[in-house]
Structures are given as C-alpha cells and as structure tokens.
Amino acid sequence: MNLRTGTGGSIDRNTLLHFTFDGRAYTGHPGDTLASALLANGVHEIGSSVKLGRPRGVVAAGSEDSTSLVQVEAPFSEPMLLATTVELHDGLRARGLAGQGRLAAEPDPARYDAKHEHCDVLVVGAGPAGLVAALTAARSGARVVLVDEQNQAGGALLGVDEYLDDRPSAEWVADVVAELKSTPGVLVLERTTAFGMYQDGFVLALQKRTDHLGFAAPAGVARQRVWRIRTRQTVLATGAHERPVVFPDNDRPGIMLASSARTFLHRYGVLPGSRAVVFTTNDSAYCAAIDLAESGVDIALVVDARPEAPARLAAECAARGIEVRAGQVVTGTEGSGRVSAVHVGDTRIACDALLVSGGWNPVVSLFSQARGKLRYDAELGAFVPGGELSTVRVAGSATGELDLTACACQGRDAGLLAAAAAGFTSGGQVPLPASDSRCTARSGLVLWRVPGDDDASFVDLQRDSTVADVLRATGAGLRSLEHVKRYTTIGTAHDQGKTSGMIAAGIVAEALGVELAEQRPTTFRPPYTSVSFAALAGRDRGDLHDPVRVTAIHPWHVAHGALFEDVGQWKRPWYYPRAGEDLHTAVLRECRATRESVGMMDGSTLGKIDVQGRDAGKFLDMLYTNMMSTLKVGRIRYGVMCGVDGMVIDDGTVIRVGEERYLVTTTTGNAAKILDWMEEWLQTEWPHLDVHCTSVTEHWATIPLVGPRSRDVLAAVAPGLDVSNEAFEFMTWHDTEVAGVPARVCRISFSGELAYEINVTAWHGVAVWEALMAAGEPYGITPYGTETMHVLRAEKGYPIIGQETDATVTPQDLGMSWAVSKKKPDFIGKRSFARAENNRTDRKQLVGLLPADPGVLLPEGSQIVETDRLPEPPVRMLGHVTSSYPSAALGRTFALALVRSGHERIGETLYVPVEDSLVPVTVTESVLYDKEGARRDG
Amino acid sequence: MQLIPCPWCGPREEAEFHYGGQAHVAYPEDPSALTDEEWARYVFFRDNPSGPFAERWSHNAGCRRWFNAVRDTRTHDLLAVYRVGEPMPEVTA
C-alpha cells in the first residue's frame, strides 16, 4: 500500500533510498525518517510490547514517541532506537523489537567525542519562539548557541503548511537561520538534543553528526558528539507535546497523535491511512482532519469530547463533508494488528487510522532539571513552568502558550532579557511573524481517560502499564506520583513522562480525589532522550579510558616477557614466566632464587615525597606514630601513619637527607593520598610550620636488589662504595655511583634478606637495571615481580596496607606497638589508642595461619570460624584470611589473617570454610621465616 | 557540573575539587586532656544542617589549596568562599 502523497513535504522525491525492515526491502527518500518511510509503505506495525506482546506502531512523529522501537542492524548494530528519530539512508537495515533489543557483540568502530562550548545565551529549540529568541540575543552582540533536535530548524512549523506573514513558513525560518549563521559568535547546531541541564548554566547536548549518512559517513569524523555547554543564560523554547487520551484498546498500530499525523503529512508527504477517525478534546485536531481530508484521506468522523464542537471549525468540516459528533468519546477499538474499527458509543466505524488529541503538554523537562518549579494549569491540563529562575527563561509553547505570534513574542522578550542579563543591551527589535493558522488549542477539555476495560487502557504503551496498574498502585496506598511512577514504571525508559506522565498524574488525582494542583509532579531527570554509553564515553575508551603509568624500566619488562598487574594506574611486573611456567611455578622459582642467591625488582612505583623546611622533623613527628625528628642524617626509619581515629592509613620508610630535608616513601597506591594528607594538615591546621612537600615519585627509578648475594652484585657495579656490613649498616643510605651514574643506595629490606634499594634518576633506570642484571649473572640474578615480593614479605609477616588492613586496623593490631612512640606528647592517632574500643582484647589482630595439610591453599578473603563443624547460623566469624601463598622457603602453604584476639590464640587450631569442607589451621605468629632476623646482614 | 569559586583561581568545575567535610573543627590543643567522649566528638561527630554549612574544600586538580566555603545543603548553592584562617562570613541563605 502506497501512502505517499503526490507532492509536498521536505523530502527529495527524485532520489530513492533502499532499506530493509524485518528482512523486507522498501524504498524511501532523503528527508524521511525510518518511521515515515515505513508508514509510506503501509507498514504501521513496528514491533510488539515488552510484557504482553501486543503489536506496537508509531504513535508520534518525533522523539516523544515511545513505541516504534527498532534495532538497527546495519551499518552498525544498535538497539532500542525509535524509528521516528532514525533518519533514513541508503542501505539501512533494521528490524522491529519486542520491547527489548540486544547490544552489539563486537566493538563499535565509530568514533565519539565531546566538545566544550561557552556562550552568553543558549537557546534550546529552533521553533518560532527559539528562533526569535536566538536572533534577538544575537543582534545584541551576545555569543549565542542555538541547539535543535531536528535536522532542520522550524520546530512545530515543520509539521504544518501554514503561512507566516503571507509566505510559506519555511521561508521565514530560512531567513532567520541564514542571519543567525552569518552572525559572528553564533553557533547553530542541528540534530543536537539538549538532554541534561545542570547547575551554573551547564548543559549537555548530543549531536548526531553522521548517523544520517549511514554507510557514506566519512571515517575519522565523530559519529556523535556530546557538547558540554557552559552558558550564562538559557532560553528554553522546547515546545509542547501532544497528549493522547486513554481509552480501551488504545494501543493498536494506526492509533496516532493527531498533530503527528499532520506532521507526517506536511513534513514527509505521508498519509496515516486511507480512512481515519479523529478523536479530540480541543481545536487543534481539526487542523489535522481538514489537512488530511484535503490530501485525500477519508475522514470518517471527528469525535469531539466537548459538549459542543467549535462552530467555525465544525463548519469547515461540514464544507468538506466531514461528520463531527460532539459530546462523544471513543470507547474502544478493533483490529488484529492494525486498528480496523473504532467504537463510539454503540457505533462501530471501520477505519485504518485513529488520530487522537487530548491537548498539549509543555516540554518542561529541562526547566525541571534546572530546579524550576512547576505549576498545574487547569485550563491546559498540564504542568507548566511556575517559578522564576535567574538564568533560565522559558518561551513559546513550553510555557503553555500555543498562539504562534504570542510564542514568538515570548521568544523575543526572553532573548532580550537573557542577553541583557548577560550584559548585552544593544540590538534591534526582531519583527514578530503572524500566522494564518485556523486552530488554537485553547478552550480544550481536560480528559485523561475514557472509562472501560482498565486492563486494556494503556497509560504507558512502551511499559505495557495500564489504568489498572495505576489504580492498583493507588489502591495499595501510594499517594505520591513519584511512588506511583516507581510502582508502575510509567514514564520510565524512552518516554520519560513525555506522553504518559501527565495522564498518569491525572488518573492518580482522580483516583485519590485530590486536586492536581496539590500534587507534586515527578522530577524530570536527565537524559531527556536516550543517549548511548558510547557517546557519553566519547574518546575515553580503550587505552584512553584511564591514564596508564609505566616506570622508566617498563620497556625492559615488556621485552623480557613480564606479565603485568594493575596497581592503581601503574603497570607493575607481576612475574616473569619462563617457557612452560604458570604463576605458581614462576613465583616459586623467583622466591627461591632470591632467598638463595639474588633477585631484583622494579620498585619505582613506590610513592616518594620530598619534605623540606625548618619544621620538617616536627611535622613528620606529628604524622608518623614514631619519632622522625631524632633520625640522623644518613639514616632511615620505618614509619606508620594513622588517621585521627588511630587506624593505619599508610606505612613506608623515611630517609633523612639533610638537616631540613626528608624523603618519605609511601605505598604505591597511596602516594597521592598521602601527599594530600600532608597538604591538608599543613594548610588547614599548621600553616605556621615551615614545611614544603612535593611528589618525586617519577623522578627516581628504584631497584631493590635482594638476597644473600646482593652485596656481591652491588660491589661489582659500585666500586666506590664500601658495601661491608660495618661500613654500610642496615637502615642507612649512601650517595655513590652505580654503573657509572649517581645513585642513592639505601639498605632496607622488605623480604628479610640482605637487600639494597638502588635509586637513580629515571633517565638512567634501564641502564642501571641492565648493569645489575649483567653483574648478577654469575649468581643467577633473577628479576621478580609483585607476586614474589608479596610472598617474600608475607613470609616475614610484613603487612601490606590495604591488603592486611582496611580502615579498622591499628598498629597494635598489626603487632607493631614497637613503631608507636611512647615519648612523643602527641601525634595523629595517639589519643585514639587510649579509647576503650582500641583496647578491647577481642580486636582482630594479625597472625599467621598454617593449614594442617601443607598443600592446601586458603582462598584470600576466607572466613575463619572456631569449630570443626558449622553451628546453626548465625555463625560467629573470627576474622578472615588477608594473604595466602605457597612458600618455597617454608615448603608449604601459609596465610596471614586478621583474627579476633589473634595474639592470644597462637597455637590454637581454628577452621576455614573452603567450598564444602572446614580446613583446620594452626594460628602462629605473623613472622614465619627467619624469626631471629639472621639473614638481614647477609 | 557545578562551578566552585576557588578563592585563588576563580570559578572552576567541581570535578577539580575534593571535599573535606565541616570547617572550623580545629585539631584539639591537647588531645590527651580530653575525655573519651570529647575526643570522640572531635573524631566522629559532625554537624549535618539543612541550610548554610561551612565546609572545607581543596582545589585538588588546580592550585591544590584548601579553602572554606559556605554551602546551602538544600540547594548546593555556594553562598561564600573564604581562605583558611579567615572567619566565616555572614551569609543569607
């Protein structure tokens, strides 16, 4: 069936576009949407509904439609698009959906991006009000951005054939747009939907840049762009949506909003059917009836719910042979798939289209998002902007005004005021256009629904939510619209309340017997129309998703087959597998080599903060639990930091570089947090202290050289350094040359072995690393990664902050009372150590666990219980496993754990539920290897 | 995306800032002199008014300075910003 008119519409009839829908081939024209092209081909049934599987068609012509859901399959698979917003292009392949689509399995090859824009006046909507507002503001010299959802300006004018100032409205629109585009400082964005309005004039808009080009979209041009607009003033000229009336079986394909049918006619040259019934509560649908009748549609009947039809329009209908029945309503429909008949009382009228108008809802979404107050307009039967906002003005039918000249006048006023508020007061008057429209939508009747079968009376067609659902909600005691919305899901998904929200509010008010003016409308939230995650992600995908930090030595690790672990944004070598090795065997080898001979790792990611100033020692005394001011230049001390609540937040070493200079190290993941922590105290509590902190993490390449042969290796590359135990004591540092470059060598150990930490400038990192590898070759030097580091330190019971600890663990819980000063009068956290809570004997404390079966590896995170059989729930949990590894040095598995009264339980047997069994474990001290510390000095 | 007027840099987007909780909660002169309850009030208890609230902010991704702001917790409007050490200005919500 061909429902394309012979002439008219802004489509290019000389060009044919081929597309397929549900596997069948069709043609359309440039300028069509998928919906208009399907309707032109007589396809009204697009898909089916999500819950009930009822057929669904096209209800509206634009983004207020919520039923024409399609999956575009080519050029690229994209689910849940509205056929009314998909511009037709050659080769488009789509299919209708049963309420749900599916995401593409393959990555989207298109590019998406974002752009920032700043302006004085943002105008949303390029209908008559928005165009006049933009032009007025532009003529005042303000920087203006005009965004509009459609592919051409005009707004409601696109859907009518009216004249402005005695010429086609398109000419007036074209003149205004031409002037705007030629005005410096004015940006006109088509196909751009402002979908979110936030504080301080921040508006997000989605521009569809190449969607309409389909396969011809140029590569390298972002398909969609999110505009991040920051504006001083905003004029919302967002228009109004026609509202349906709910009646039994109101959801069949072929039932459409009257103004949308008129839009399909005038914009696309498409008829909604061959024989239509019009059901209205106001004047505006008469225009649709008359225009369609003049285009050849048989208007079987106009049903006007008002007691009397408007005389002039009724006469115009009579002149065209259209019957008008006033005081009646549509009480039901028939049809298998598409509507085939309409019931008006006892009369059955055969038809293939039913065009409905229940009045107009101003589009107040963005105004509401901007925290504008809404007010119920009883004459209009809709919520309208009801309060002033200092930076947001509303103009045109978004205010409830429906007369074109009055809308344009509001646009002019809003444009003037917005420009003036932004500081632009010069500018000429923009003349207001006058329309020859025969209809206004005032003097309508507010009618939410026609009583009947509530289960077949649909309020939200996409959600299959009916009048019965609303009444069920109010019957269950829900009184607020927000609650009813959540209970029924009405106004969620694509609709976002555009067509269903007002009706649902009306039905709720009727059911509760309250005035709508007393009801608080639901809050509109972004996005106004659906926005894909791909667009929001923009360029921040894949490698650009998050910064990746690599050390100076990273290329060597890559070249030598390291596998990497993400630690914050850092890529750290995890382990270096040899052929045939898995994590387990590689780590056992790395551990054994390090404990028996020598290993080394890249420790460059360790946070390093240079702390300088007269009061640096005093400052660090307050931050660390132990004393730092007494540390001698040349020496190193391990320190723990707590919050004011006495809980451990970080640990690391402190090197005294000079009288007024320390180098503080932090855990890799906490580097930024600890620098912030220092700044916070310095700036907010102790601004009188002379201390300056700066991050030097990336300035240094840091290489721990670990194991009994580390001294030999260091001696080979640092000939100027006396590496003897007497000359180079534990917890001291020396500046020297390593492999011919300046280096700072610290004798610290995170493994219990004799170890040196070699620090050189990042620039020399690879060279020094390679020199150490070469010097260590006779000893089988073995590079190791974070996993081996973790095992080695765990064997020594050294906690990792963030693994052994959460925010509830004190130094005492970790068995580190030795690191807590008794002498200092105060430091951060000290007072909390005296709290009753901190002194409970049943606090969770760090201990070691040895499974009875030395081959059983406890999963990290496992709970620990007291008995060998689980009692009835609730089961008392004693704690959990924080670290667990197989150990080459111990020849068995072991774990660290936080256990209630753990220090008192040493020697006890506890149980760890692993899958279906309870694994017996012996509680031990946390130090499991070399308890005497005999290996430290080599 | 709210704009926060950093007293050093001027208005910048909120993503550049880090929130620091209630302002004017000074670290006690001598914590050891406090009772457990007084100390707990310092550590754990903060006001939660509906209306103007003096709080600390840090311009973390900018000048990295801490400053104070009075925010109306009902609207998020920032009624005043001022530098650390300055008294809280009088505001009308």
Side-chain angles (χ1 to χ4, degrees):
Chain A
M1 182 164 54
N2 183 10
L3 291 169
R4 187 78 74 175
T5 59
T7 56
S10 43
I11 51 169
D12 173 10
R13 290 171 189 265
N14 296 321
T15 307
L16 267 192
L17 300 177
H18 297 267
F19 70 102
T20 68
F21 183 74
D22 283 345
R24 289 189 57 184
Y26 299 98
T27 59
H29 301 291
D32 263 326
T33 61
L34 176 57
S36 70
L38 286 171
L39 292 178
N41 285 284
V43 180
H44 258 259
E45 194 171 331
I46 303 292
S48 54
S49 68
V50 67
K51 278 194 294 195
L52 303 175
R54 291 172 67 111
R56 289 286 176 263
V58 178
V59 171
S63 63
E64 74 273 31
D65 184 66
S66 66
T67 51
S68 64
L69 290 174
V70 297
Q71 174 108 16
V72 166
E73 295 177 320
F76 184 76
S77 182
E78 196 173 357
M80 300 296 276
L81 299 178
L82 293 168
T84 55
T85 62
V86 174
E87 290 188 52
L88 194 69
H89 59 76
D90 206 46
L92 177 70
R93 216 167 71 222
R95 64 181 175 80
L97 290 175
Q100 283 178 322
R102 56 173 168 73
L103 285 169
E106 63 275 20
D108 187 345
R111 176 182 281 204
Y112 300 82
D113 69 9
K115 199 166 174 182
H116 290 267
E117 184 67 29
H118 295 259
C119 62
D120 300 307
V121 178
L122 168 69
V123 179
V124 181
L131 287 172
V132 172
L135 192 59
T136 303
R139 284 187 182 175
S140 75
R143 288 175 305 167
V144 174
V145 173
L146 172 63
V147 300
D148 187 79
E149 187 174 45
Q150 303 295 325
N151 59 4
Q152 52 184 317
L157 295 174
L158 296 171
V160 299
D161 67 341
E162 288 159 8
Y163 276 55
L164 292 185
D165 300 338
D166 300 323
R167 55 187 185 140
S169 57
E171 289 182 16
W172 177 84
V173 170
D175 284 353
V176 175
V177 171
E179 181 177 341
L180 284 170
K181 286 188 171 173
S182 65
T183 306
V186 174
L187 178 65
V188 178
L189 295 171
E190 284 128 7
R191 298 187 172 91
T192 305
T193 305
F195 64 82
M197 187 150 193
Y198 307 84
Q199 292 116 312
D200 297 322
F202 189 62
V203 175
L204 290 179
L206 180 74
Q207 183 184 26
K208 293 184 175 173
R209 302 177 74 216
T210 68
D211 290 43
H212 62 290
L213 300 174
F215 289 96
V221 174
R223 178 181 176 227
Q224 296 179 356
R225 171 172 289 168
V226 173
W227 287 84
R228 300 173 180 163
I229 303 167
R230 181 74 70 175
T231 181
R232 294 177 199 276
Q233 294 283 321
T234 304
V235 177
L236 297 176
T238 44
H241 289 146
E242 194 164 25
R243 176 173 71 225
V245 179
V246 175
F247 48 83
D249 293 318
N250 61 331
D251 64 329
R252 295 187 201 285
I255 302 177
M256 186 186 282
L257 291 166
S259 67
S260 292
R262 200 174 173 215
T263 298
F264 279 117
L265 168 66
H266 294 302
R267 183 167 173 186
Y268 304 105
V270 174
L271 303 176
S274 50
R275 182 174 159 85
V277 172
V278 176
F279 175 31
T280 187
T281 64
N282 64 84
D283 289 1
S284 68
Y286 284 84
C287 293
I290 292 165
D291 289 359
L292 288 164
E294 289 184 347
S295 300
V297 177
D298 174 12
I299 303 294
L301 180 66
V302 173
V303 183
D304 193 327
R306 292 172 290 187
E308 286 195 31
R312 189 177 51 81
L313 290 168
E316 287 209 44
C317 284
R320 291 168 178 83
I322 302 170
E323 184 189 353
V324 177
R325 283 195 211 167
Q328 299 202 30
V329 292
V330 169
T331 50
T333 67
E334 292 174 28
S336 63
R338 183 170 184 158
V339 66
S340 59
V342 168
H343 298 193
V344 180
D346 295 334
T347 323
R348 178 183 178 281
I349 302 130
C351 64
D352 60 0
L354 170 57
L355 312 180
V356 183
S357 177
W360 294 84
N361 294 332
V363 177
V364 292
S365 308
L366 294 178
F367 183 76
S368 172
Q369 287 179 26
R371 288 187 280 175
K373 291 267 179 291
L374 302 180
R375 164 182 74 76
Y376 180 66
D377 181 326
E379 192 194 342
L380 209 57
F383 289 110
V384 297
E388 292 284 310
L389 290 174
S390 60
T391 58
V392 182
R393 280 154 239 280
V394 187
S397 54
T399 67
E401 177 59 61
L402 295 167
D403 173 72
L404 182 128
T405 305
C407 284
C409 184
Q410 288 183 347
R412 187 169 70 185
D413 291 348
L416 274 176
L417 288 169
F424 298 86
T425 48
S426 62
Q429 287 274 349
V430 174
L432 299 177
S435 164
D436 70 341
S437 173
R438 53 164 71 89
C439 304
T440 62
R442 287 281 173 187
S443 68
L445 173 77
V446 174
L447 177 66
W448 310 120
R449 65 176 180 124
V450 175
D453 180 358
D454 290 344
D455 283 310
S457 299
F458 290 84
V459 179
D460 184 329
L461 274 62
Q462 186 181 4
R463 289 298 196 200
D464 274 338
S465 297
T466 62
V467 171
D469 293 322
V470 177
L471 298 180
R472 216 167 278 136
T474 55
L478 304 182
R479 300 187 65 82
S480 118
L481 293 178
E482 294 280 2
H483 292 162
V484 173
K485 173 181 170 178
R486 280 156 184 74
Y487 191 86
T488 60
T489 72
I490 285 173
T492 55
H494 289 69
D495 183 61
Q496 289 298 307
K498 291 183 192 84
T499 55
S500 68
M502 200 56 239
I503 291 173
I507 296 172
V508 167
E510 276 180 5
L512 297 176
V514 300
E515 292 296 319
L516 258 170
E518 296 159 20
Q519 281 276 29
R520 207 170 106 189
T522 55
T523 307
F524 289 90
R525 293 190 176 82
Y528 168 69
T529 49
S530 47
V531 180
S532 72
F533 281 108
L536 292 174
R539 304 290 310 277
D540 302 335
R541 286 161 55 176
D543 288 345
L544 298 180
H545 174 62
D546 199 33
V548 171
R549 302 175 77 186
V550 297
T551 71
I553 311 168
H554 187 77
W556 191 95
H557 308 316
V558 174
H560 291 79
L563 295 183
F564 291 89
E565 178 183 27
D566 289 333
V567 182
Q569 292 169 335
W570 287 103
K571 295 281 175 205
R572 299 200 69 181
W574 186 17
Y575 61 102
Y576 299 80
R578 290 182 180 166
E581 282 185 339
D582 59 7
L583 169 74
H584 176 69
T585 48
V587 168
L588 284 179
R589 171 181 55 75
E590 290 174 7
C591 286
R592 192 175 295 117
T594 304
R595 290 234 185 266
E596 291 174 4
S597 181
V598 61
M600 65 182 206
M601 74 174 302
D602 185 351
S604 305
T605 62
L606 211 65
K608 301 172 212 57
I609 302 170
D610 194 343
V611 181
Q612 297 191 44
R614 267 197 317 280
D615 300 314
K618 204 170 165 184
F619 174 60
L620 295 179
D621 279 350
M622 281 302 288
L623 287 195
Y624 283 96
T625 59
N626 46 357
M627 195 85 98
M628 293 301 172
S629 56
T630 55
L631 188 65
K632 292 194 168 46
V633 175
R635 302 200 75 89
I636 305 169
R637 190 164 286 162
Y638 170 80
V640 176
M641 278 189 204
C642 291
V644 287
D645 58 0
M647 303 302 159
V648 176
I649 57 171
D650 202 46
D651 71 342
T653 54
V654 176
I655 295 172
R656 188 146 197 183
V657 182
E659 278 308 317
E660 297 185 356
R661 186 172 191 187
Y662 294 79
L663 186 78
V664 165
T665 68
T666 73
T667 50
T668 294
N670 271 347
K673 200 176 112 185
I674 295 303
L675 182 62
D676 287 348
W677 179 243
M678 291 177 164
E679 284 292 344
E680 180 178 342
W681 287 98
L682 281 173
Q683 290 183 33
T684 66
E685 289 293 339
W686 308 315
H688 55 281
L689 292 185
D690 175 30
V691 181
H692 297 274
C693 306
T694 192
S695 167
V696 292
T697 300
E698 279 154 328
H699 303 43
W700 297 93
T702 300
I703 307 169
L705 181 66
V706 180
R709 306 313 294 265
S710 59
R711 182 173 284 139
D712 302 298
V713 178
L714 180 62
V717 290
L721 184 67
D722 183 347
V723 296
S724 69
N725 198 41
E726 298 69 37
F728 196 165
E729 287 178 65
F730 186 57
M731 296 307 260
T732 63
W733 60 270
H734 289 281
D735 279 347
T736 182
E737 278 195 357
V738 171
V741 304
R744 174 169 297 153
V745 184
C746 304
R747 243 200 88 187
I748 52 180
S749 177
F750 196 42
S751 59
E753 299 296 328
L754 172 69
Y756 301 87
E757 186 191 86
I758 296 156
N759 295 277
V760 295
T761 61
W763 180 255
H764 293 122
V766 173
V768 171
W769 177 277
E770 286 178 336
L772 289 166
M773 285 298 294
E777 207 191 337
Y779 312 103
I781 194 166
T782 302
Y784 67 86
T786 50
E787 191 67 19
T788 291
M789 173 189 79
H790 282 193
V791 177
L792 297 177
R793 63 87 206 176
E795 289 167 347
K796 288 291 291 177
Y798 297 149
I800 287 190
I801 306 306
Q803 178 152 342
E804 267 64 44
T805 69
D806 48 26
T808 68
V809 178
T810 67
Q812 295 84 355
D813 297 338
L814 294 174
M816 287 191 177
S817 298
W818 55 267
V820 177
S821 167
K822 308 278 184 297
K823 289 184 213 149
K824 287 195 289 185
D826 192 27
F827 56 84
I828 294 170
K830 179 180 168 82
R831 176 62 184 84
S832 287
F833 295 152
R835 293 178 65 232
E837 178 66 27
N838 289 53
N839 290 291
R840 287 168 58 148
T841 53
D842 63 344
R843 287 188 66 80
K844 288 182 185 171
Q845 295 161 332
L846 185 68
V847 293
L849 298 181
L850 293 175
D853 177 344
V856 169
L857 184 66
L858 303 173
E860 290 178 354
S862 296
Q863 295 292 318
I864 298 160
V865 299
E866 203 152 20
T867 51
D868 63 354
R869 211 163 288 171
L870 283 183
E872 284 299 302
V875 181
R876 184 167 179 247
M877 302 294 171
L878 297 180
H880 69 279
V881 174
T882 58
S883 295
S884 177
Y885 312 97
S887 164
L890 303 175
R892 54 162 303 131
T893 60
F894 74 104
L896 297 177
L898 286 171
V899 178
R900 286 206 180 282
S901 311
H903 296 157
E904 287 174 17
R905 291 181 187 270
I906 286 166
E908 280 183 25
T909 299
L910 298 176
Y911 299 87
V912 176
V914 178
E915 288 167 8
D916 292 333
S917 65
L918 283 175
V919 175
V921 297
T922 305
V923 181
T924 71
E925 285 178 43
S926 55
V927 185
L928 288 157
Y929 181 72
D930 185 31
K931 285 179 189 161
E932 323 59 58
R935 306 186 60 83
R936 192 190 75 189
D937 295 331
Chain B
M1 181 83 77
Q2 192 167 7
L3 292 178
I4 296 179
C6 171
W8 305 88
C9 306
R12 294 288 189 275
E13 294 195 336
E14 62 179 280
E16 296 182 16
F17 294 83
H18 177 80
Y19 183 64
Q22 186 176 357
H24 307 297
V25 182
Y27 186 76
E29 202 66 30
D30 179 8
S32 67
L34 302 185
T35 65
D36 272 8
E37 185 184 332
E38 287 165 338
W39 177 250
R41 288 207 172 276
Y42 165 71
V43 175
F44 301 113
F45 286 70
R46 293 294 182 270
D47 295 339
N48 185 22
S50 171
F53 186 43
E55 57 196 17
R56 306 184 311 158
W57 287 88
S58 160
H59 192 189
N60 237 29
C63 65
R64 297 188 56 77
R65 301 290 293 178
W66 282 87
F67 61 93
N68 294 329
V70 182
R71 180 177 59 100
D72 188 326
T73 59
R74 296 165 300 188
T75 61
H76 294 307
D77 289 340
L78 288 169
L79 307 174
V81 294
Y82 53 106
R83 297 178 184 186
V84 170
E86 292 175 357
M88 176 177 158
E90 297 222 352
V91 295
T92 43

